[in-house]
């Protein structure tokens, strides 16, 4: 899609470019060449007169070198004012700044004071003033501004060299001004460095006193903080280390205590459950009881006593002394066993309680250590702030002291990054005015302005000048007709018959060819020829076109339907007692009114008596019947009519007839008038065949007629001259076979059929445009 769009855009550009006919502009300029030449000479004379009246101005040049950096005599020690750029990326800004300084008012005022220019009347241009006005003018004069207007700074490309140019009417003074500007700028550069060093030293002295007081204050604040927080002998870092170690120890002990408690917690739970149940067997089943050697020994003694009681019970009764002693021993063993079991379990419970108490104590200690650590961190923030402030103040104070020492050393030097390269010398010749240059510029400007005025005048011309104008009005161009040469023996109306080898005859035959090839299936037989205004050449065109059609074979009738200013009867020396008006009125018949001319196949129907109402006659039914009658008796009927832009006769005729041809006089008829006439004809339903451009010049105006018409009819002039040179002294006679090899139609043999009026050509040569296509035909 993008490629297609690009191709379309390229095609549009190509069409737009081709639409510009450069040759047309060239012919416009050639047409008005004397005006352009006069205007160029006028501007040149004015410019030279002005140039010769100008004062001679001289220019002196002084060259200086502006280095990027000043010489580093003290190594890394820098000046207070950086008189060089110090870096590549700042070079452009630095040098532009220096150029502005050279042309600054401060430099100009110093130069004026140095050279005493404030009272120099020749420098200020006041020498021509009268004495009574000179004093007041001197007071108002601004010598610095005058000097700035005469100084130019020109850097040399790709170098650090700068040219300082000074202009003046006196060559000696111009050289002095250039040298003074360079000297003043270099001195100002050094002074700026020294002034900067002094200002920097004063400022650094003030800063040193302020920084010293700040440093002492910060040192005292740091000492007081250390004293208040017992950091005189022990640093804050040591305290933080001890707190960290204490925290680790307590945390480790707390962890071990919690592990022991976790181990005893299940056993204590079982002990408590066994105690709540009150069953001795559950107490005896506890792991601590069952695994205790002492309890196991007591349990063994208890079993022994129990076995002894069982043995005695088999032999003695309960009241037997031995039996009583055995039961007492059994009871004692039981009590001892129960007491020891309870004692053992209480020990376990006591151990668990102690672990719980120890865990709580360790947790409290750990919290205390944490608070102490947080407090130390808070103190550390304040301590670091005070220490940082003290260090910054100390460093700034040291830096200021160091920089002051450097300034003391650099102030002893007189280095400069600007040096003179060339001394200005008085020039030998002035730079202004330049007569030759001014003359050339004036000539070129005069030529361009003259050409512009010529093209502007041509653009304001609203007359029809070529086929392009006809195309813009949607009107086909049937052909161009040249000017008919004037002479004592020249009959303009019969020129095609009297001069068959002329350019006009060739052009008429080309128009005839275009007409005959239009609508070959239904060619127009009755044609009206009209124009927008009188004196357009329509009657002359009609007669010569009729003669050309008659020479090609076929009966041609010329009808003088211009019943306001009839002229055909005068051209052919015919009577005007009978004609179109009398035939329409019914007083005469068509055959009686039609007159034969001395040209074979050409007949004329004069106007007849001039009626008072021509337009009403053309509206009658009899006129329509007459058209059909004439169309049946003749191959072509050409009607001459009044101008369509003045009266309605041509509009009525165009509606009744088969075709309408519009005659336009080139470079005279205005396009708006033609457009109005065409609009009236088209609204009436006229069948427009096209237009014939009359009064065409084959010389300097040929460029207006486009590639086809300009070149083709230009060739007619050369071809016509060639034909006349070969046939001089011989009288040409037109015949139904056409001309023999001398016309633009070649070996054409044109014949008209009696019935249909169609035309047959053997080898009719048609003109072609620049693309090889035939000229446009009427629709």
């Amino acid at each position: 899609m993008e490629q297609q769009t690009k191709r379309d855009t390229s095609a549009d550009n190509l069409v737009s470019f081709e639409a510009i006919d450069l040759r047309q502009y060239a012919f416009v300029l050639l047409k008005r060449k004397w005006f352009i030449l006069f205007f160029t000479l006028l501007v040149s004379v004015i410019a030279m007169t002005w140039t010769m009246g100008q004062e001679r101005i001289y220019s002196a040049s002084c060259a200086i070198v502006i280095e990027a950096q000043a010489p580093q005599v003290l190594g890394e020690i820098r000046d207070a004012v950086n008189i060089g750029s110090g870096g590549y990326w700042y070079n452009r800004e630095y040098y532009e700044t220096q150029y502005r300084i050279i042309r600054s008012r401060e430099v100009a005022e110093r130069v004026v004071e140095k050279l005493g220019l404030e009272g120099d009347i020749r420098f200020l241009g006041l020498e021509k003033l009268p004495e009574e006005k000179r004093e007041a003018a001197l007071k108002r004069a601004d010598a610095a501004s005058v000097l700035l207007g005469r100084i130019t700074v020109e850097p040399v490309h790709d170098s650090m060299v700068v040219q300082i140019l000074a202009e003046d009417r006196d060559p000696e003074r111009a050289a002095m001004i250039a040298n003074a500007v360079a000297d003043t700028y270099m001195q100002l550069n050094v002074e700026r460095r020294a002034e900067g060093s002094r200002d920097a030293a004063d400022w650094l002295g003030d800063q040193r006193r302020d920084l010293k007081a700040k440093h002492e204050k910060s040192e005292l604040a740091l000492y007081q903080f250390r004293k208040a927080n017992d950091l005189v002998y022990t640093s804050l870092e040591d305290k933080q280390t001890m707190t960290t170690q204490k925290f680790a120890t307590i945390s480790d002990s707390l962890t071990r205590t919690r592990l022991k408690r976790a181990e005893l917690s299940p056993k204590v739970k079982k002990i408590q459950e066994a105690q709540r149940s009150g069953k001795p067997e559950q107490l005896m089943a506890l792991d601590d009881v069952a695994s205790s050697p002492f309890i196991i020994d007591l349990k063994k003694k208890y079993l022994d006593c129990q076995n002894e009681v069982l043995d005695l019970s088999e032999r003695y009764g309960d009241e037997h002394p031995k039996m009583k002693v055995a039961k007492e021993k059994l009871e004692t063993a039981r009590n001892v066993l129960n007491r020891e079991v309870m004692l053992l379990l209480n020990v376990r419970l006591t151990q668990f309680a102690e672990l719980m108490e120890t865990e709580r104590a360790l947790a409290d200690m750990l919290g205390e250590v944490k608070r102490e650590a947080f407090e130390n961190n808070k103190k550390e923030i304040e301590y670091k702030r005070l220490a940082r402030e003290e260090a910054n103040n100390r460093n700034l104070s040291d830096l200021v002291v160091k920089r002051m020492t450097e300034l003391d050393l650099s102030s002893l030097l007189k280095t400069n990054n600007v040096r003179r390269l060339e001394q200005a010398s008085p020039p030998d010749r002035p730079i202004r005015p330049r007569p030759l240059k001014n003359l050339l510029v004036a000539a070129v400007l005069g030529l361009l302005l003259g050409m512009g005025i010529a093209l502007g005048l041509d653009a304001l011309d609203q007359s029809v000048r070529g086929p392009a104008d006809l195309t813009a009005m949607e009107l086909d161009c049937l052909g161009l007709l040249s000017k008919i040469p004037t002479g004592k023996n020249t009959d303009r109306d019969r020129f095609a018959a009297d001069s068959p080898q002329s350019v006009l005859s060739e052009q008429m035959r080309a128009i005839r060819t275009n007409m005959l090839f239009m609508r070959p299936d239904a060619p127009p037989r009755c044609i009206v020829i009209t124009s927008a205004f009188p004196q357009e050449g329509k009657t002359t065109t009609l007669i010569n076109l009729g003669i050309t059609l008659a020479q090609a074979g076929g009966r041609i009738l010329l009808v003088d339907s211009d019943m306001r200013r009839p002229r055909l009867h005068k051209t052919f020396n015919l009577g005007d007692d009978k004609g179109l008006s009398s035939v329409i009125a019914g007083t005469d018949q068509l055959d009686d009114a039609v007159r034969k001319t001395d040209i074979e196949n050409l007949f004329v129907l004069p106007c007849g008596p001039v009626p008072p109402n021509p337009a009403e006659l053309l509206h009658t039914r009899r006129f329509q019947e007459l058209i059909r009658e004439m169309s049946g008796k003749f191959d072509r009927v050409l009607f001459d009519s009044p101008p369509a832009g003045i009266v309605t006769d041509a509009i009525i005729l165009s509606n009744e007839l088969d075709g309408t041809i519009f005659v336009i006089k080139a470079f005279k008829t205005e396009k708006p008038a033609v457009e109005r006439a065409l609009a009236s004809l088209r609204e009436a339903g006229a069948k427009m065949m096209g237009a014939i451009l009359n009064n065409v010049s084959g010389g300097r105006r040929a460029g207006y007629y486009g590639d086809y018409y300009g070149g083709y009819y230009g060739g007619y002039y050369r071809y016509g001259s060639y034909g006349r040179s070969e046939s001089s002294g011989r009288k040409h006679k037109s015949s139904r076979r056409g001309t023999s090899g001398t016309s633009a139609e070649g070996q054409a043999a044109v014949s008209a059929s009696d019935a249909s009026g169609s035309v047959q050509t053997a080898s009719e040569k048609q003109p072609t445009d620049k693309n090889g296509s035939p000229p446009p035909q009427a629709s």
Side-chain angles (χ1 to χ4, degrees):
M1 182 63 71
E2 293 181 357
Q3 294 179 354
Q4 181 64 30
T5 303
K6 291 180 179 179
R7 287 196 296 269
D8 295 342
T9 304
S10 300
D12 294 341
N13 294 336
L14 182 60
V15 171
S16 300
F17 181 77
E18 291 179 351
I20 301 175
D21 190 352
L22 297 179
R23 286 177 294 177
Q24 180 176 348
Y25 292 116
F27 280 106
V28 171
L29 300 178
L30 184 62
K31 168 188 171 183
R32 302 181 185 272
K33 59 184 177 181
W34 296 114
F35 168 78
I36 296 173
L37 180 59
F38 171 76
F39 194 84
T40 302
L41 291 175
L42 178 63
V43 174
S44 301
V45 170
I46 294 175
M48 286 304 298
T49 304
W50 177 83
T51 299
M52 293 303 152
Q54 296 298 307
E55 292 182 324
R56 301 295 184 264
I57 302 298
Y58 296 86
S59 176
S61 173
C62 174
I64 61 174
V65 177
I66 304 178
E67 297 179 351
Q69 289 183 345
Q72 298 295 327
V73 179
L74 298 177
E76 297 297 329
I77 297 179
R78 295 176 291 106
D79 294 331
V81 178
N82 187 10
I83 58 176
S85 66
Y88 172 79
W89 298 109
Y90 301 98
N91 276 350
R92 180 177 179 181
E93 291 80 2
Y94 169 73
Y95 281 109
E96 288 294 335
T97 303
Q98 300 309 306
Y99 306 153
R100 298 294 179 87
I101 293 175
I102 294 174
R103 296 195 71 256
S104 65
R105 188 171 184 85
E106 181 180 2
V107 173
E109 290 176 350
R110 291 193 180 191
V111 172
V112 168
E113 182 180 0
K114 180 179 180 180
L115 299 180
L117 300 177
E118 66 276 2
D120 193 335
I121 59 175
R122 285 187 54 81
F123 173 77
L124 297 175
L126 305 178
E127 68 275 8
K128 296 182 180 180
L129 290 177
E131 290 292 339
E132 59 273 10
K133 296 182 180 180
R134 187 177 300 172
E135 189 67 26
L138 276 174
K139 294 180 180 180
R140 294 193 305 269
D142 187 355
S145 299
V146 175
L147 180 62
L148 287 176
R150 301 182 184 182
I151 296 175
T152 305
V153 179
E154 294 183 357
V156 179
H157 187 62
D158 291 336
S159 71
M160 295 183 290
V161 179
V162 179
Q163 296 281 349
I164 300 177
L165 306 176
E167 297 180 0
D168 196 84
R169 292 177 294 173
D170 185 355
E172 297 288 342
R173 186 166 52 226
M176 287 192 301
I177 291 175
N179 292 326
V181 170
D183 295 337
T184 303
Y185 167 66
M186 290 188 292
Q187 181 63 29
L188 182 64
N189 200 45
V190 175
E191 291 177 1
R192 184 166 61 95
R193 170 180 173 273
E195 182 181 358
S197 298
R198 288 194 301 269
D199 294 341
D202 296 339
W203 182 83
L204 289 174
D206 297 338
Q207 294 298 317
R208 180 184 179 184
R209 288 188 293 271
D210 294 341
L211 289 174
K212 182 178 180 181
K214 290 181 179 179
H215 183 211
E216 292 175 352
K217 183 178 178 181
S218 60
E219 283 183 329
L220 180 60
L222 182 61
Y223 170 76
Q224 290 176 351
F225 179 83
R226 292 170 63 91
K227 182 179 179 181
N229 292 277
D230 194 18
L231 298 176
V232 179
Y233 302 103
T234 304
S235 64
L236 184 61
E237 290 79 5
D238 295 339
K239 276 196 170 186
Q240 288 180 334
T241 302
M242 289 186 293
T243 302
T244 302
Q245 293 175 355
K246 188 188 298 184
F247 180 83
T249 302
I250 295 174
S251 179
D252 183 61
S253 300
L254 180 60
T255 301
R256 290 197 300 269
T257 301
R258 287 176 176 173
L259 289 175
K260 290 180 180 180
R261 180 181 59 79
E263 292 177 358
L264 291 177
S265 181
K267 295 180 180 181
V268 170
K269 186 177 181 181
K270 290 182 180 181
I271 292 172
Q272 291 174 349
E273 290 177 356
Q275 287 178 346
R276 285 194 298 268
S277 65
K279 296 179 181 181
E281 58 274 12
Q282 289 187 0
L283 295 174
M284 299 302 294
L286 294 173
D287 294 336
D288 290 340
V289 176
S291 61
S292 176
F294 182 68
I295 299 299
I296 293 174
D297 186 58
L298 292 177
K299 188 186 292 185
K300 183 178 179 182
K301 290 180 179 180
Y302 172 75
L303 291 177
D304 290 343
C305 291
Q306 189 177 19
N307 291 331
E308 183 180 359
V309 171
L310 290 176
D311 290 343
L312 290 176
S313 64
E314 291 179 359
R315 290 180 292 175
Y316 305 105
D318 292 334
E319 296 296 331
H320 192 275
K322 290 184 178 181
M323 190 66 176
K324 290 181 178 181
V325 173
K327 286 183 179 182
E328 290 177 1
K329 289 174 62 177
L330 178 62
E331 186 64 25
T332 301
R334 181 186 297 114
N335 292 334
V336 172
L337 177 62
N338 290 334
R339 186 177 66 251
E340 293 298 332
V341 169
M342 293 304 296
L343 182 60
L344 178 62
L345 294 179
N346 289 332
V347 170
R348 294 299 185 193
L349 293 175
T350 301
Q351 291 178 349
F352 184 76
E354 292 176 351
L355 288 175
M356 292 289 291
E357 185 65 25
T358 302
E359 182 180 358
R360 283 193 295 270
L362 291 174
D364 293 340
M365 292 175 64
L366 188 62
E368 184 66 25
V369 173
K370 284 184 178 179
R371 285 190 294 272
E372 183 180 353
F374 290 149
E375 187 67 24
N376 290 335
N377 290 337
K378 185 177 180 181
K379 292 178 181 179
E380 182 184 14
I381 294 174
E382 181 66 16
Y383 176 79
K384 287 184 176 181
R385 184 186 66 80
L386 294 173
R388 184 169 56 252
E389 183 177 354
E390 187 274 335
N392 290 338
N393 291 331
R394 184 178 65 253
N395 293 333
L396 288 175
S397 180
D398 294 342
L399 181 62
V400 168
V401 172
K402 179 182 178 182
R403 186 59 180 151
M404 289 183 66
T405 304
E406 292 177 353
L407 286 177
D408 291 339
L409 292 175
S410 62
S411 62
L412 301 176
L413 299 175
K414 298 294 182 180
T415 57
N416 195 349
N417 66 321
V418 182
R419 59 184 175 87
R420 187 193 303 274
L421 182 62
E422 293 178 358
Q423 185 84 6
S425 57
D428 297 332
R429 60 183 62 184
I431 60 168
R432 291 194 307 271
R434 297 179 179 178
L436 181 59
K437 178 182 177 181
N438 293 348
L439 178 62
L440 291 176
V441 172
V444 172
L445 290 178
L447 179 63
L448 294 177
L449 289 175
M451 293 169 63
I453 294 174
L455 293 175
L457 294 174
D458 186 77
L460 295 175
D461 187 3
Q462 291 293 316
S463 63
V464 179
R465 295 177 289 180
D469 296 333
L470 301 180
T471 303
M473 294 183 287
E474 299 181 357
L475 193 64
D476 293 331
C477 183
L478 295 176
L480 312 180
L481 291 179
S482 303
K483 279 186 177 181
I484 299 177
T486 57
K488 294 182 179 180
N489 299 324
T490 301
D491 188 351
R492 296 170 58 87
D493 292 342
R494 299 170 57 93
F495 194 81
D498 297 339
S499 302
Q501 291 182 314
S502 64
V503 173
L504 181 65
S505 298
E506 298 294 343
Q507 294 169 344
M508 278 295 180
R509 282 190 279 272
I511 295 173
R512 178 191 69 191
T513 302
N514 290 337
M515 289 176 52
L516 297 180
F517 277 110
M518 295 179 66
R519 294 181 285 176
D521 295 335
R525 300 176 68 88
C526 297
I527 301 170
V528 60
I529 298 179
T530 186
S531 62
F533 294 111
Q535 304 299 322
E536 298 281 339
K538 60 177 178 55
T539 302
T540 302
T541 301
L542 176 135
I543 296 171
N544 284 282
L545 182 60
I547 293 173
T548 305
L549 289 171
Q551 290 174 348
R555 291 166 56 83
I556 306 301
L557 174 62
L558 304 181
V559 180
D560 196 349
S561 54
D562 186 355
M563 291 183 284
R564 301 176 188 270
R565 296 178 60 183
R567 206 181 88 193
L568 291 183
H569 66 284
K570 297 179 182 179
T571 300
F572 293 98
N573 297 319
L574 302 174
D576 197 26
D577 54 337
K578 298 180 181 180
L580 178 63
S581 59
S582 61
V583 174
I584 296 175
T587 58
D588 292 304
Q589 298 297 319
L590 177 63
D591 293 340
D592 297 334
V594 173
R595 312 292 176 84
K596 181 174 176 58
T597 66
D598 59 340
I599 299 174
E600 188 176 0
N601 297 324
L602 182 65
F603 301 86
V604 174
L605 177 60
C607 170
V610 176
N613 54 349
E616 285 75 3
L617 288 179
L618 298 178
H619 269 302
T620 60
R621 184 184 299 274
R622 173 56 184 157
F623 179 66
Q624 297 177 0
E625 295 174 353
L626 184 61
I627 292 174
R628 289 192 291 271
E629 185 178 356
M630 289 185 290
S631 177
K633 293 182 178 181
F634 295 94
D635 297 321
R636 293 285 187 277
V637 182
L638 304 181
F639 287 78
D640 187 16
S641 73
I646 298 179
V647 295
T648 61
D649 299 18
I651 299 175
I652 299 171
L653 288 170
S654 64
N655 180 261
E656 300 290 343
L657 301 180
D658 299 334
T660 302
I661 296 177
F662 206 87
V663 176
I664 300 173
K665 193 169 186 178
F667 295 95
K668 178 182 178 183
T669 308
E670 299 289 335
K671 284 185 279 189
V674 176
E675 291 173 349
R676 288 193 296 269
L678 289 175
S680 300
L681 292 171
R682 286 165 177 162
E683 289 177 0
K687 307 171 186 65
M688 298 302 301
M689 297 176 62
I692 296 175
L693 198 59
N694 195 12
N695 199 41
V696 169
S697 174
R700 63 187 182 184
R701 290 182 174 177
Y704 288 107
Y705 314 132
D707 291 339
Y708 158 59
Y709 291 101
Y712 188 62
Y713 286 125
Y716 268 159
Y717 280 92
R718 296 187 296 272
Y719 185 69
S721 299
Y722 170 75
R724 286 192 297 271
S725 64
E726 287 194 351
S727 59
S728 58
R730 295 180 295 172
K731 184 178 180 180
H732 177 80
K733 293 183 179 181
S734 61
S735 65
R736 301 184 69 175
R737 294 178 300 168
T739 58
S740 178
T742 59
S743 69
E745 301 176 70
Q747 300 293 332
V750 184
S751 63
S753 62
D754 295 335
S756 62
S758 61
V759 178
Q760 299 175 354
T761 61
S763 60
E764 192 79 26
K765 180 179 180 181
Q766 299 186 57
T768 59
D769 60 12
K770 62 182 179 180
N771 296 322
S773 303
Q777 303 294 333
S779 59

